[in-house]
Amino acid sequence: MLHVLVHMGLLGGRETSERIAQMLNTNPVVVRRTLGSLRNHGIVESEGGRGGGWKLTRPLDRITVLDVQRALIDGQLLPAPLSRDHPNCPVERASNAVLEHAHRVAEAELEKAYAATTLAQIAGTALATK
């Protein structure tokens, strides 16, 4: 979705679900469902009728990667791969504790990096490497 949103910002116009589906090689229903989540978080809006489609609600420099991730993923960005097969086993509990701690630390750093990165920065990098 970052890819699509940056293209939308660079092109400055609207895109239909059908066109976005072509770009992503997927079904327009999947695109509408995903963009619906982004709409619910105030990132895009839709307009019906001829010439309608999806458009950004704010400029790329006011949308962060974290904004997009939070709209699309409910919960942790980086969930720990824990085992719950043997809850009474002290080795499993210790292993899970180590993994949970490491993932909390990594999650905090990842969240910071995502919050500090705007879609305008991604667009700038893309344009600089043409």
Side-chain angles (χ1 to χ4, degrees):
M1 260 309 118
L2 293 173
H3 183 171
V4 169
L5 296 173
V6 171
H7 271 296
M8 288 171 67
L10 290 174
L11 297 173
R14 290 172 179 76
E15 290 293 340
T16 65
S17 298
E18 290 74 19
R19 177 71 183 118
I20 294 169
Q22 286 176 340
M23 291 187 328
L24 297 176
N25 197 27
T26 192
N27 188 299
V29 173
V30 173
V31 170
R32 282 190 283 279
R33 188 176 306 126
T34 303
L35 289 172
S37 293
L38 294 171
R39 179 186 53 221
N40 293 342
H41 284 81
I43 296 170
V44 297
E45 61 187 11
S46 63
E47 292 181 352
R50 188 167 176 79
W54 297 92
K55 69 176 189 170
L56 297 173
T57 60
R58 53 191 190 261
L60 293 178
D61 65 350
R62 294 196 40 231
I63 303 170
T64 68
V65 173
L66 185 61
D67 294 333
V68 176
Q69 286 298 114
R70 289 288 178 229
L72 299 177
I73 296 173
D74 195 24
Q76 291 180 300
L77 299 172
L78 190 63
L82 304 178
S83 174
R84 305 273 189 220
D85 298 332
H86 307 284
N88 295 325
C89 175
V91 173
E92 182 177 282
R93 286 195 312 267
S95 297
N96 284 347
V98 167
L99 290 173
E100 285 174 324
H101 173 73
H103 277 255
R104 273 193 307 275
V105 171
E107 177 94 9
E109 288 301 311
L110 184 59
E111 192 170 306
K112 244 191 303 188
Y114 280 6
T117 306
T118 67
L119 300 193
Q121 290 170 302
I122 294 171
T125 300
L127 293 174
T129 59
K130 280 179 125 181

